[in-house]
Amino acid sequence: MPSRSTPIVIDGQVVGIACSRGPDRRCKCGRRMTRLCDFALSGKKAGKTCDAPLCDSCAVRVGPDRDLCGAHAAHEKKTAEGA
Ligand SMILES: [Zn+2]
Ligand SMILES: [Zn+2]
């Protein structure tokens, strides 16, 4: 099967390209990824990390060697505030 790119459309605007797995993974904003989301998943995917491709500007740095995608950064912040 040929790999295809699917545009991510929000409110009629193309906000990014979702590609099938490949060496040139891109951040959802379309920039080249430079890091992966380090959020540790639980449940079915326990032991794995989110691994969402992130570029420098979309990654949220939460530690010396830890970066999260926007959704997981928000999730951690919420959890921290609730504690
Ligand atoms: Zn980005
Ligand atoms: Zn994530």
Side-chain angles (χ1 to χ4, degrees):
M1 257 215 259
S3 67
R4 338 183 347 185
S5 301
T6 311
I8 301 165
V9 182
I10 294 176
D11 289 338
Q13 279 199 307
V14 178
V15 296
I17 306 288
C19 298
S20 43
R21 270 165 191 271
D24 190 25
R25 288 174 76 189
R26 282 177 186 273
C27 175
K28 63 179 192 290
C29 73
R31 288 191 187 90
R32 226 187 136 77
M33 63 159 279
T34 55
R35 59 201 71 205
L36 295 169
C37 176
D38 292 317
F39 187 84
L41 299 171
S42 54
K44 246 190 229 175
K45 291 183 175 177
K48 295 186 174 182
T49 52
C50 168
D51 278 358
L54 301 167
C55 72
D56 279 341
S57 41
C58 293
V60 181
R61 170 153 280 215
V62 294
D65 193 23
R66 199 155 178 265
D67 300 279
L68 299 180
C69 65
H72 280 134
H75 175 81
E76 274 212 349
K77 206 177 162 212
K78 237 192 198 169
T79 311
E81 279 169 1

